[in-house]
Amino acid sequence: MPALPSVLITGASSGIGAVYADRFARRGHDLVLVARDDQRMEALAATLRAETGVSIDVVKADLTQAPDLNAVAGRLREDDTIGVLINNAGAGLSGQFADQSSAAQQNLIALNVSAVVELANAVAPRFAKAGSGAIVNIGSVVGLAPEFGLTTYGATKAFVLFLSQGLAFELGPKGVYVQAVLPSGTRTEIWDRSGADPANLPPLMEVADLVDAALVGFDRREPVTIPPLQDAGLWDAFQGARQAMLPGFAATAPADRYRG
């Protein structure tokens, strides 16, 4: 791979994806921008080409549609200039589980889970063979907090975290860096698209602040980056408690506390 690999960013027309595009372009990386809104991507690409001189390809794709998803996956498999995948495309879903339609939930899962897996799976073998590359998966703190009440959305983001940790375990020894980024509420268009009531929105982080913090974690090669978490020791304690349970999972008999 070249010293500065190309970066493929999904959900690149606005919000987090657009800021990632700006930041990587200003670092000198060529880009492949993927989203449904090609006009907004073309406008962003024109600006970044003029200001940074990098090469930018725009790919119009709806990652919930198999032909589009397959095309992007094919690009990741075949284009060995791409050395960084930013799995950012995602959606939210407002309301309570019992009130949400099955179709809406399945569409959410298709974008937040299935597309993330498909694209990571497309690029992982090539990265592992090359002994380099990076996969960044955008999750959410909601994936750690069922108390927030966003059940299906939170479940998709819990999946993204686990997937990232599992990929890091498998691919890290082969030279591939995998990062899970867990934003809190961020000022993006996801709120409008999910049908959220603006009057009930929580305090929101600015997108630029979120991405800049995530890139600090990227440069440090953190496996999990949680930009709003002030005390990193809390995450370390969480991880420590989880890992302390692992030996007990090998038991072949129920714990004494379950015996009558």
Side-chain angles (χ1 to χ4, degrees), residues 6-27:
S6 298
V7 182
L8 187 145
I9 305 167
T10 68
S13 62
S14 65
I16 293 171
V19 176
Y20 263 113
D22 176 90
R23 299 305 191 258
F24 273 110
R26 295 184 191 286
R27 291 182 175 203

PDB file of all heavy atoms in Angstrom, residues 6-27:
ATOM      1  N   SER A   6      -5.707   5.441   0.279  1.00  0.00           N
ATOM      2  CA  SER A   6      -7.013   6.058   0.081  1.00  0.00           C
ATOM      3  C   SER A   6      -7.949   5.629   1.207  1.00  0.00           C
ATOM      4  O   SER A   6      -7.781   4.572   1.826  1.00  0.00           O
ATOM      5  CB  SER A   6      -7.605   5.646  -1.264  1.00  0.00           C
ATOM      6  OG  SER A   6      -6.798   6.073  -2.327  1.00  0.00           O
ATOM      7  N   VAL A   7      -8.953   6.466   1.457  1.00  0.00           N
ATOM      8  CA  VAL A   7      -9.914   6.229   2.533  1.00  0.00           C
ATOM      9  C   VAL A   7     -11.308   6.152   1.929  1.00  0.00           C
ATOM     10  O   VAL A   7     -11.735   7.096   1.247  1.00  0.00           O
ATOM     11  CB  VAL A   7      -9.858   7.355   3.584  1.00  0.00           C
ATOM     12  CG1 VAL A   7     -10.835   7.076   4.728  1.00  0.00           C
ATOM     13  CG2 VAL A   7      -8.433   7.521   4.122  1.00  0.00           C
ATOM     14  N   LEU A   8     -12.010   5.053   2.151  1.00  0.00           N
ATOM     15  CA  LEU A   8     -13.394   4.933   1.727  1.00  0.00           C
ATOM     16  C   LEU A   8     -14.287   5.223   2.919  1.00  0.00           C
ATOM     17  O   LEU A   8     -14.151   4.594   3.976  1.00  0.00           O
ATOM     18  CB  LEU A   8     -13.685   3.542   1.152  1.00  0.00           C
ATOM     19  CG  LEU A   8     -15.081   3.376   0.524  1.00  0.00           C
ATOM     20  CD1 LEU A   8     -15.030   2.443  -0.683  1.00  0.00           C
ATOM     21  CD2 LEU A   8     -16.116   2.872   1.533  1.00  0.00           C
ATOM     22  N   ILE A   9     -15.198   6.172   2.738  1.00  0.00           N
ATOM     23  CA  ILE A   9     -16.067   6.633   3.821  1.00  0.00           C
ATOM     24  C   ILE A   9     -17.509   6.456   3.393  1.00  0.00           C
ATOM     25  O   ILE A   9     -17.939   7.004   2.371  1.00  0.00           O
ATOM     26  CB  ILE A   9     -15.811   8.117   4.139  1.00  0.00           C
ATOM     27  CG1 ILE A   9     -14.336   8.357   4.461  1.00  0.00           C
ATOM     28  CG2 ILE A   9     -16.702   8.587   5.295  1.00  0.00           C
ATOM     29  CD1 ILE A   9     -13.943   9.823   4.482  1.00  0.00           C
ATOM     30  N   THR A  10     -18.288   5.702   4.177  1.00  0.00           N
ATOM     31  CA  THR A  10     -19.716   5.583   3.888  1.00  0.00           C
ATOM     32  C   THR A  10     -20.485   6.648   4.670  1.00  0.00           C
ATOM     33  O   THR A  10     -20.007   7.173   5.675  1.00  0.00           O
ATOM     34  CB  THR A  10     -20.243   4.184   4.256  1.00  0.00           C
ATOM     35  OG1 THR A  10     -20.209   4.000   5.679  1.00  0.00           O
ATOM     36  CG2 THR A  10     -19.421   3.094   3.580  1.00  0.00           C
ATOM     37  N   GLY A  11     -21.667   6.973   4.171  1.00  0.00           N
ATOM     38  CA  GLY A  11     -22.432   8.050   4.791  1.00  0.00           C
ATOM     39  C   GLY A  11     -21.693   9.370   4.701  1.00  0.00           C
ATOM     40  O   GLY A  11     -21.706  10.176   5.640  1.00  0.00           O
ATOM     41  N   ALA A  12     -21.073   9.609   3.547  1.00  0.00           N
ATOM     42  CA  ALA A  12     -20.120  10.718   3.422  1.00  0.00           C
ATOM     43  C   ALA A  12     -20.737  12.020   2.953  1.00  0.00           C
ATOM     44  O   ALA A  12     -20.021  13.002   2.773  1.00  0.00           O
ATOM     45  CB  ALA A  12     -18.999  10.317   2.462  1.00  0.00           C
ATOM     46  N   SER A  13     -22.049  12.079   2.744  1.00  0.00           N
ATOM     47  CA  SER A  13     -22.640  13.296   2.182  1.00  0.00           C
ATOM     48  C   SER A  13     -22.856  14.394   3.214  1.00  0.00           C
ATOM     49  O   SER A  13     -23.016  15.558   2.859  1.00  0.00           O
ATOM     50  CB  SER A  13     -23.970  12.974   1.493  1.00  0.00           C
ATOM     51  OG  SER A  13     -24.900  12.455   2.424  1.00  0.00           O
ATOM     52  N   SER A  14     -22.866  14.036   4.501  1.00  0.00           N
ATOM     53  CA  SER A  14     -23.131  15.033   5.539  1.00  0.00           C
ATOM     54  C   SER A  14     -22.630  14.508   6.876  1.00  0.00           C
ATOM     55  O   SER A  14     -22.173  13.368   6.995  1.00  0.00           O
ATOM     56  CB  SER A  14     -24.632  15.337   5.634  1.00  0.00           C
ATOM     57  OG  SER A  14     -25.344  14.179   6.057  1.00  0.00           O
ATOM     58  N   GLY A  15     -22.723  15.356   7.891  1.00  0.00           N
ATOM     59  CA  GLY A  15     -22.467  14.934   9.260  1.00  0.00           C
ATOM     60  C   GLY A  15     -21.089  14.353   9.495  1.00  0.00           C
ATOM     61  O   GLY A  15     -20.073  14.867   9.008  1.00  0.00           O
ATOM     62  N   ILE A  16     -21.046  13.255  10.234  1.00  0.00           N
ATOM     63  CA  ILE A  16     -19.787  12.638  10.638  1.00  0.00           C
ATOM     64  C   ILE A  16     -18.966  12.233   9.420  1.00  0.00           C
ATOM     65  O   ILE A  16     -17.758  12.470   9.361  1.00  0.00           O
ATOM     66  CB  ILE A  16     -20.067  11.429  11.556  1.00  0.00           C
ATOM     67  CG1 ILE A  16     -20.662  11.907  12.888  1.00  0.00           C
ATOM     68  CG2 ILE A  16     -18.791  10.626  11.804  1.00  0.00           C
ATOM     69  CD1 ILE A  16     -21.184  10.783  13.776  1.00  0.00           C
ATOM     70  N   GLY A  17     -19.611  11.628   8.426  1.00  0.00           N
ATOM     71  CA  GLY A  17     -18.882  11.181   7.244  1.00  0.00           C
ATOM     72  C   GLY A  17     -18.242  12.326   6.488  1.00  0.00           C
ATOM     73  O   GLY A  17     -17.100  12.218   6.014  1.00  0.00           O
ATOM     74  N   ALA A  18     -18.953  13.437   6.351  1.00  0.00           N
ATOM     75  CA  ALA A  18     -18.410  14.591   5.636  1.00  0.00           C
ATOM     76  C   ALA A  18     -17.221  15.188   6.373  1.00  0.00           C
ATOM     77  O   ALA A  18     -16.244  15.630   5.747  1.00  0.00           O
ATOM     78  CB  ALA A  18     -19.498  15.638   5.432  1.00  0.00           C
ATOM     79  N   VAL A  19     -17.277  15.213   7.708  1.00  0.00           N
ATOM     80  CA  VAL A  19     -16.143  15.757   8.469  1.00  0.00           C
ATOM     81  C   VAL A  19     -14.948  14.812   8.392  1.00  0.00           C
ATOM     82  O   VAL A  19     -13.801  15.255   8.272  1.00  0.00           O
ATOM     83  CB  VAL A  19     -16.544  16.043   9.925  1.00  0.00           C
ATOM     84  CG1 VAL A  19     -15.343  16.514  10.731  1.00  0.00           C
ATOM     85  CG2 VAL A  19     -17.637  17.105   9.972  1.00  0.00           C
ATOM     86  N   TYR A  20     -15.191  13.507   8.443  1.00  0.00           N
ATOM     87  CA  TYR A  20     -14.084  12.565   8.225  1.00  0.00           C
ATOM     88  C   TYR A  20     -13.440  12.823   6.861  1.00  0.00           C
ATOM     89  O   TYR A  20     -12.206  12.796   6.722  1.00  0.00           O
ATOM     90  CB  TYR A  20     -14.580  11.125   8.286  1.00  0.00           C
ATOM     91  CG  TYR A  20     -14.392  10.438   9.622  1.00  0.00           C
ATOM     92  CD1 TYR A  20     -15.480  10.083  10.409  1.00  0.00           C
ATOM     93  CD2 TYR A  20     -13.116  10.096  10.082  1.00  0.00           C
ATOM     94  CE1 TYR A  20     -15.318   9.439  11.630  1.00  0.00           C
ATOM     95  CE2 TYR A  20     -12.939   9.455  11.294  1.00  0.00           C
ATOM     96  CZ  TYR A  20     -14.036   9.116  12.068  1.00  0.00           C
ATOM     97  OH  TYR A  20     -13.862   8.481  13.267  1.00  0.00           O
ATOM     98  N   ALA A  21     -14.255  13.054   5.840  1.00  0.00           N
ATOM     99  CA  ALA A  21     -13.718  13.330   4.513  1.00  0.00           C
ATOM    100  C   ALA A  21     -12.821  14.568   4.534  1.00  0.00           C
ATOM    101  O   ALA A  21     -11.708  14.566   3.987  1.00  0.00           O
ATOM    102  CB  ALA A  21     -14.856  13.509   3.517  1.00  0.00           C
ATOM    103  N   ASP A  22     -13.299  15.608   5.170  1.00  0.00           N
ATOM    104  CA  ASP A  22     -12.518  16.846   5.280  1.00  0.00           C
ATOM    105  C   ASP A  22     -11.188  16.595   5.981  1.00  0.00           C
ATOM    106  O   ASP A  22     -10.125  17.013   5.502  1.00  0.00           O
ATOM    107  CB  ASP A  22     -13.332  17.894   6.035  1.00  0.00           C
ATOM    108  CG  ASP A  22     -12.560  19.173   6.268  1.00  0.00           C
ATOM    109  OD1 ASP A  22     -12.619  20.071   5.417  1.00  0.00           O
ATOM    110  OD2 ASP A  22     -11.878  19.275   7.325  1.00  0.00           O
ATOM    111  N   ARG A  23     -11.238  15.893   7.100  1.00  0.00           N
ATOM    112  CA  ARG A  23     -10.020  15.699   7.894  1.00  0.00           C
ATOM    113  C   ARG A  23      -9.002  14.818   7.166  1.00  0.00           C
ATOM    114  O   ARG A  23      -7.797  15.117   7.163  1.00  0.00           O
ATOM    115  CB  ARG A  23     -10.365  15.087   9.256  1.00  0.00           C
ATOM    116  CG  ARG A  23     -11.284  15.951  10.122  1.00  0.00           C
ATOM    117  CD  ARG A  23     -10.738  17.355  10.335  1.00  0.00           C
ATOM    118  NE  ARG A  23     -11.472  18.066  11.362  1.00  0.00           N
ATOM    119  CZ  ARG A  23     -12.391  18.998  11.129  1.00  0.00           C
ATOM    120  NH1 ARG A  23     -12.680  19.343   9.889  1.00  0.00           N
ATOM    121  NH2 ARG A  23     -13.014  19.596  12.138  1.00  0.00           N
ATOM    122  N   PHE A  24      -9.458  13.729   6.540  1.00  0.00           N
ATOM    123  CA  PHE A  24      -8.500  12.867   5.845  1.00  0.00           C
ATOM    124  C   PHE A  24      -7.964  13.546   4.593  1.00  0.00           C
ATOM    125  O   PHE A  24      -6.788  13.364   4.241  1.00  0.00           O
ATOM    126  CB  PHE A  24      -9.141  11.520   5.516  1.00  0.00           C
ATOM    127  CG  PHE A  24      -9.015  10.509   6.630  1.00  0.00           C
ATOM    128  CD1 PHE A  24     -10.129  10.114   7.359  1.00  0.00           C
ATOM    129  CD2 PHE A  24      -7.791   9.961   6.957  1.00  0.00           C
ATOM    130  CE1 PHE A  24     -10.018   9.193   8.389  1.00  0.00           C
ATOM    131  CE2 PHE A  24      -7.660   9.030   7.968  1.00  0.00           C
ATOM    132  CZ  PHE A  24      -8.777   8.642   8.697  1.00  0.00           C
ATOM    133  N   ALA A  25      -8.793  14.326   3.899  1.00  0.00           N
ATOM    134  CA  ALA A  25      -8.295  15.059   2.742  1.00  0.00           C
ATOM    135  C   ALA A  25      -7.204  16.027   3.147  1.00  0.00           C
ATOM    136  O   ALA A  25      -6.187  16.169   2.443  1.00  0.00           O
ATOM    137  CB  ALA A  25      -9.443  15.800   2.060  1.00  0.00           C
ATOM    138  N   ARG A  26      -7.393  16.693   4.277  1.00  0.00           N
ATOM    139  CA  ARG A  26      -6.397  17.664   4.732  1.00  0.00           C
ATOM    140  C   ARG A  26      -5.131  16.976   5.255  1.00  0.00           C
ATOM    141  O   ARG A  26      -4.087  17.618   5.388  1.00  0.00           O
ATOM    142  CB  ARG A  26      -7.013  18.592   5.786  1.00  0.00           C
ATOM    143  CG  ARG A  26      -8.124  19.443   5.194  1.00  0.00           C
ATOM    144  CD  ARG A  26      -8.732  20.452   6.122  1.00  0.00           C
ATOM    145  NE  ARG A  26      -9.937  21.011   5.517  1.00  0.00           N
ATOM    146  CZ  ARG A  26      -9.952  21.896   4.511  1.00  0.00           C
ATOM    147  NH1 ARG A  26      -8.817  22.341   4.006  1.00  0.00           N
ATOM    148  NH2 ARG A  26     -11.105  22.325   4.021  1.00  0.00           N
ATOM    149  N   ARG A  27      -5.222  15.681   5.506  1.00  0.00           N
ATOM    150  CA  ARG A  27      -4.033  14.898   5.837  1.00  0.00           C
ATOM    151  C   ARG A  27      -3.341  14.381   4.571  1.00  0.00           C
ATOM    152  O   ARG A  27      -2.299  13.736   4.648  1.00  0.00           O
ATOM    153  CB  ARG A  27      -4.398  13.711   6.723  1.00  0.00           C
ATOM    154  CG  ARG A  27      -4.835  14.092   8.132  1.00  0.00           C
ATOM    155  CD  ARG A  27      -5.141  12.854   8.961  1.00  0.00           C
ATOM    156  NE  ARG A  27      -5.451  13.209  10.343  1.00  0.00           N
ATOM    157  CZ  ARG A  27      -5.317  12.366  11.380  1.00  0.00           C
ATOM    158  NH1 ARG A  27      -4.899  11.122  11.181  1.00  0.00           N
ATOM    159  NH2 ARG A  27      -5.605  12.767  12.594  1.00  0.00           N
TER     160      ARG A  27
END
